[in-house]
Amino acid sequence: MSELAIDREIDRSKMQVSDEVAIEITNMNKWYGSFHVLRDINLTVNQGERIVIAGPSGSGKSTLIRCLNALEEHQQGTIIVDGTELSNDLKNIDKIRSEVGMVFQHFNLFPHLTILENCTLAPIWVRKTPKKEAEERAMHFLEKVKIPDQALKYPGQLSGGQQQRVAIARSLCMMPRIMLFDEPTSALDPEMIKEVLDTMIELAEEGMTMLCVTHEMGFARQVANRVIFMDAGQIVEQNEPEEFFNNPKSERTKLFLSQILGH
Amino acid sequence: MSDVSFVRTEMLPEQAPPASEVGALGWVKHNLFSSWFNTILTVVSLYAIYYVLSGVLPWIFQSVWNADSLNECREIMMATWGSTHGHACWAVINDRWLQLLFGFYPSHLYWRPILALVLLLVALAPVLYSDRVPTKMLIFSAIYPFLMPFLMWGGTIWGPISAALGFVAGWFVYSVLSKQVSELVGMIGAVVAAVIWWLVLSSYFTGAMSSVLPIGIEAVESRQFGGFMLAILLGVVAIGVSLPIGIVLALGRQSDLLIVKYLCVGFIEFIRGVPLITLLFVASLLLNLFLPPGTNFDIILRVMIMMTLFSAAYMAEVIRGGLAALPRGQYEGADSLGLNYWQAQRLIIMPQALKISIPGIVSTFIGIFKDTTLVSIIGLFDVIGLASAIRADTAWNGIYWELFAFIALLFFIVCFSMSRYSMYLERKLQTGHR
């Protein structure tokens, strides 16, 4: 994997970490059947943090962030998101899901709805926003991801990069306090990765709390304030990006970085 | 090594295709005579088409339209063409077409089924062509299910009104309970309230109101129903009711709630495992044994219920196929935005699953519509039953082709329309590749 150059100045003025805790995971364990996928995860994320989660495939990175909005169920430990504990209570789950935006590898746009309808659906039905207001807000975010002129098209008519930007706009329309990214650029052509990363950088510049599972190490180096390395369902190492890339502590991390960066 | 560097300085313009590739000539060449084998096939097919049409067309068009019996028909044929072979006797249709269409429905009341059919088309318009007909028309579509039985069977107007009030009662209980307790309790309460109304209170209400305000039209009994009208009546009800039941069964089969799941699986597998004709016999003969003596449970209503259940079981499996074709990401996308189960189903999952299932759904519709002819076996006079009755008449004894050709034409018109509509719908819902 090459390191994609980010060719612009990044405005760090708003990228400040507050003391307020956004996500708190304590002693969390998860099994698929008898397979122990996540082992004793402890992680605290403050409001405004940009965290990149890296690791080899099958290490549990995606499963971890999918647990944060209950797309996957954890069996042990506690997850507190924005002050609400994730439990079997459906009301809590719906509340957390409407506070936490998620962007998927395969976009998961709704192909039978236009771009605009994709963006207004959840605000109208979940937040009970009046239609006109929801549309105005959707157009605002579509402008931010630079595709307002595609609003009346269907997802199938857009390129992969455009679809992923719509997916980001769709999540933003719910005004989330936390954004989860599950390999947002892995299904894209190299030419389109940059436009999606640019959108994510802009989001970081506005102070959004972000957790990204990604292989884009350039993004991790320049935007993240913390990089988490996972292997075999555990957090092996976490550090600030400079330290993480230049001075990895564990052997597993060194091996991973040499494979992913060293050509 | 030679110099491989090359830079194109000007782009080539687009050119028109050669004349043999486009136009009528191009089409004929591509589709009919593209190779010697295809040429032979084309010639053989053209001869086969000619052979069939040269037999069928004279039979249809060199025919007798006015006669009182098959014998008279034959005499006219002998006098005109010198042979009875190869000429249709449409006189039987001319003589009996009203009966084939309406059965024994009183002839001075024919306007009622005709009006019901016209209103059916009006009620369907906003459902079938949602983008061209104003949405407010849906109010009429909602009233139609209560208006139609009133027109067809007649009697007091309080019967249909009382049936409608059952839904009102259910809705009322739901809206109170779903806010106060929970949606599930609300739904259960609504069903219970509606059933109590229909089974217990409804008959008192109807009796009381019709003695106070006797508004009504002349009643027609179920055994007078028949002909193609009966096929349309049974078909429309089975089609209209089985789709929502099928959706619920398909969702139930995928449910995490074990009891709901196995009830749905059991129902679907039982109904699909039994021939429709046995269900119809149960409806016509056995049901009477189980019901308390003196209950008047209309035979057409019983048949409607059986056909609806039968069609719903198939519908559920067709829709399950559509659900299975949806990528899991669609569910996750809906979940991640905070939509609850019913919102996700209604707004995201079902519109797509139903769209995928359109060909299967319409096949099931067409199948159940044609299966309505099976009711002739349990003694109802639908078109097939009437055809047998007409042949039993000495005047038309021995006539087959003309009657069945007419019946085939009636069914073909309806089934072909459904098929064309489904293709239109698929084109309309096409939103680029998924």
Side-chain angles (χ1 to χ4, degrees):
Chain A
M1 175 85 47
S2 64
E3 206 171 316
L4 202 93
I6 291 170
D7 52 359
R8 65 191 195 98
E9 280 297 304
I10 293 177
D11 172 16
R12 288 183 172 269
S13 64
K14 278 195 191 165
M15 291 161 87
Q16 286 181 359
V17 179
S18 80
D19 293 336
E20 202 185 330
V21 175
I23 298 171
E24 191 168 15
I25 306 174
T26 21
N27 302 329
M28 193 258 277
N29 279 284
K30 173 170 176 59
W31 289 263
Y32 282 132
S34 59
F35 177 59
H36 199 170
V37 257
L38 290 178
R39 306 180 195 181
D40 199 32
I41 305 284
N42 285 288
L43 180 66
T44 306
V45 180
N46 284 355
Q47 203 62 252
E49 278 203 273
R50 289 95 41 210
I51 292 180
V52 163
I53 304 174
S57 71
S59 59
K61 351 181 254 302
S62 288
T63 312
L64 173 61
I65 69 164
R66 288 159 61 87
C67 281
L68 296 180
N69 65 352
L71 285 183
E72 304 277 356
E73 219 179 320
H74 62 284
Q75 280 95 26
Q76 268 180 17
T78 53
I79 302 178
I80 297 173
V81 180
D82 222 15
T84 313
E85 189 183 340
L86 264 184
S87 58
N88 287 331
D89 188 346
L90 285 176
K91 281 208 176 111
N92 278 357
I93 290 180
D94 284 341
K95 179 165 182 289
I96 286 172
R97 281 173 177 168
S98 60
E99 303 287 331
V100 178
M102 178 140 190
V103 176
F104 299 88
Q105 182 177 2
H106 295 288
F107 331 136
N108 296 354
L109 293 178
F110 307 130
H112 62 300
L113 301 176
T114 62
I115 301 306
L116 188 63
E117 287 166 337
N118 263 281
C119 294
T120 56
L121 184 97
I124 290 175
W125 289 93
V126 180
R127 288 244 193 277
K128 314 290 181 206
T129 315
K131 190 174 176 211
K132 196 155 174 291
E133 197 185 321
E135 281 179 354
E136 276 164 17
R137 195 194 298 163
M139 286 312 293
H140 167 73
F141 283 114
L142 286 175
E143 262 159 44
K144 270 184 84 167
V145 302
K146 302 188 184 68
I147 30 181
D149 45 332
Q150 315 279 5
L152 298 178
K153 287 193 181 169
Y154 287 96
Q157 297 165 303
L158 269 55
S159 75
Q162 289 174 324
Q163 290 193 42
Q164 193 60 294
R165 284 184 285 153
V166 171
I168 295 173
R170 179 177 76 175
S171 297
L172 292 177
C173 283
M174 287 295 280
M175 304 296 208
R177 286 163 58 83
I178 300 164
M179 285 287 284
L180 309 174
F181 292 84
D182 187 2
E183 306 206 20
T185 55
S186 300
L188 296 176
D189 290 342
E191 273 185 289
M192 297 170 179
I193 293 179
K194 189 172 167 301
E195 60 189 54
V196 171
L197 287 183
D198 278 345
T199 309
M200 290 167 63
I201 292 167
E202 273 170 38
L203 208 54
E205 283 171 343
E206 284 169 16
M208 177 66 80
T209 312
M210 295 164 73
L211 273 86
C212 315
V213 172
T214 182
H215 297 298
E216 295 300 331
M217 290 304 140
F219 177 81
R221 210 189 271 273
Q222 303 201 35
V223 180
N225 67 319
R226 184 149 48 125
V227 179
I228 292 176
F229 177 71
M230 286 185 73
D231 189 31
Q234 302 158 74
I235 295 178
V236 176
E237 183 167 348
Q238 48 177 317
N239 215 330
E240 289 179 352
E242 282 309 308
E243 274 294 295
F244 179 83
F245 287 109
N246 299 335
N247 191 13
K249 301 283 183 301
S250 89
E251 285 306 311
R252 190 66 194 86
T253 316
K254 283 177 193 162
L255 180 67
F256 176 75
L257 286 176
S258 74
Q259 277 168 344
I260 195 170
L261 298 173
H263 292 279
Chain B
M1 207 175 117
S2 63
D3 188 9
V4 291
S5 84
F6 170 80
V7 177
R8 188 181 283 287
T9 49
E10 103 196 29
M11 304 309 266
L12 295 176
E14 205 173 284
Q15 289 182 334
S20 62
E21 293 298 306
V22 288
L25 205 67
W27 186 89
V28 168
K29 185 168 170 257
H30 268 288
N31 293 292
L32 299 179
F33 303 104
S34 59
S35 69
W36 63 268
F37 184 66
N38 280 359
T39 307
I40 293 175
L41 284 182
T42 303
V43 171
V44 170
S45 312
L46 284 177
Y47 178 74
I49 293 170
Y50 165 78
Y51 182 79
V52 171
L53 287 185
S54 67
V56 170
L57 289 181
W59 181 78
I60 293 176
F61 293 106
Q62 295 184 344
S63 50
V64 179
W65 278 94
N66 294 301
D68 288 330
S69 69
L70 187 57
N71 287 333
E72 197 186 330
C73 242
R74 286 187 175 141
E75 280 163 25
I76 297 174
M77 283 176 198
M78 286 305 286
T80 324
W81 298 289
S83 142
T84 59
H85 186 73
H87 305 284
C89 175
W90 297 118
V92 64
I93 308 298
N94 196 5
D95 190 30
R96 299 293 186 97
W97 67 277
L98 279 173
Q99 201 180 28
L100 283 170
L101 291 184
F102 296 102
F104 301 109
Y105 206 85
S107 55
H108 66 284
L109 296 178
Y110 279 170
W111 63 271
R112 271 160 47 178
I114 293 170
L115 180 63
L117 181 67
V118 171
L119 292 181
L120 171 71
L121 299 180
V122 176
L124 282 178
V127 181
L128 298 186
Y129 300 96
S130 52
D131 49 346
R132 295 188 206 165
V133 181
T135 320
K136 279 185 183 156
M137 289 273 292
L138 279 172
I139 296 171
F140 180 72
S141 310
I143 296 172
Y144 184 77
F146 306 101
L147 183 61
M148 188 273 282
F150 176 63
L151 276 175
M152 296 297 289
W153 277 275
T156 169
I157 198 167
W158 296 108
I161 289 180
S162 160
L165 282 177
F167 285 96
V168 174
W171 180 81
F172 179 74
V173 169
Y174 169 78
S175 56
V176 170
L177 283 184
S178 64
K179 282 208 188 87
Q180 305 250 322
V181 195
S182 79
E183 282 204 19
L184 187 68
V185 175
M187 268 183 248
I188 295 170
V191 172
V192 171
V195 168
I196 289 178
W197 172 265
W198 285 324
L199 292 185
V200 184
L201 303 173
S202 166
S203 56
Y204 296 113
F205 172 81
T206 312
M209 288 312 285
S210 39
S211 61
V212 177
L213 260 181
I215 309 172
I217 52 178
E218 189 179 337
V220 180
E221 281 184 49
S222 281
R223 57 185 171 79
Q224 291 174 294
F225 281 51
F228 197 59
M229 183 190 86
L230 184 60
I232 292 183
L233 179 67
L234 293 173
V236 165
V237 171
I239 286 170
V241 184
S242 68
L243 184 61
I245 298 182
I247 292 174
V248 171
L249 284 172
L251 291 178
R253 192 167 184 163
Q254 293 208 325
S255 168
D256 295 332
L257 308 168
L258 273 188
I259 296 178
V260 172
K261 179 177 175 175
Y262 286 110
L263 275 178
C264 291
V265 171
F267 175 84
I268 292 169
E269 295 302 336
F270 173 73
I271 298 276
R272 285 205 310 163
V274 177
L276 176 57
I277 196 76
T278 36
L279 293 177
L280 291 179
F281 274 121
V282 169
S284 81
L285 304 171
L286 289 176
L287 226 49
N288 271 353
L289 299 178
F290 296 119
L291 291 172
T295 15
N296 178 23
F297 195 10
D298 191 90
I299 176 71
I300 290 187
L301 185 60
R302 279 181 272 162
V303 169
M304 274 175 182
I305 291 172
M306 284 305 181
M307 302 207 84
T308 302
L309 295 182
F310 185 77
S311 154
Y314 279 86
M315 198 66 68
E317 288 298 282
V318 169
I319 293 167
R320 191 167 68 96
L323 287 173
L326 278 193
R328 220 179 117 210
Q330 291 294 311
Y331 294 87
E332 290 178 352
D335 282 349
S336 74
L337 288 170
L339 294 168
N340 67 32
Y341 177 81
W342 291 108
Q343 288 172 335
Q345 290 298 339
R346 185 156 59 93
L347 302 166
I348 308 298
I349 305 304
M350 269 307 147
Q352 296 184 64
L354 290 179
K355 185 190 132 194
I356 298 171
S357 328
I358 287 173
I361 290 174
V362 174
S363 285
T364 312
F365 282 173
I366 290 177
I368 196 70
F369 180 63
K370 290 185 296 183
D371 281 350
T372 56
T373 50
L374 285 175
V375 298
S376 62
I377 295 181
I378 57 166
L380 289 176
F381 281 99
D382 83 314
V383 260
I384 301 287
L386 281 167
S388 311
I390 290 170
R391 279 187 287 110
D393 185 337
T394 44
W396 299 111
N397 198 347
I399 201 157
Y400 286 94
W401 284 95
E402 290 81 353
L403 283 171
F404 288 120
F406 180 68
I407 294 168
L409 180 71
L410 290 177
F411 276 96
F412 180 78
I413 290 170
V414 176
C415 295
F416 188 65
S417 314
M418 283 198 254
S419 157
R420 296 306 298 186
Y421 175 76
S422 86
M423 290 165 83
Y424 155 82
L425 196 60
E426 277 181 79
R427 266 200 313 278
K428 192 180 91 173
L429 296 179
Q430 190 67 39
T431 57
H433 33 261
R434 296 196 296 130

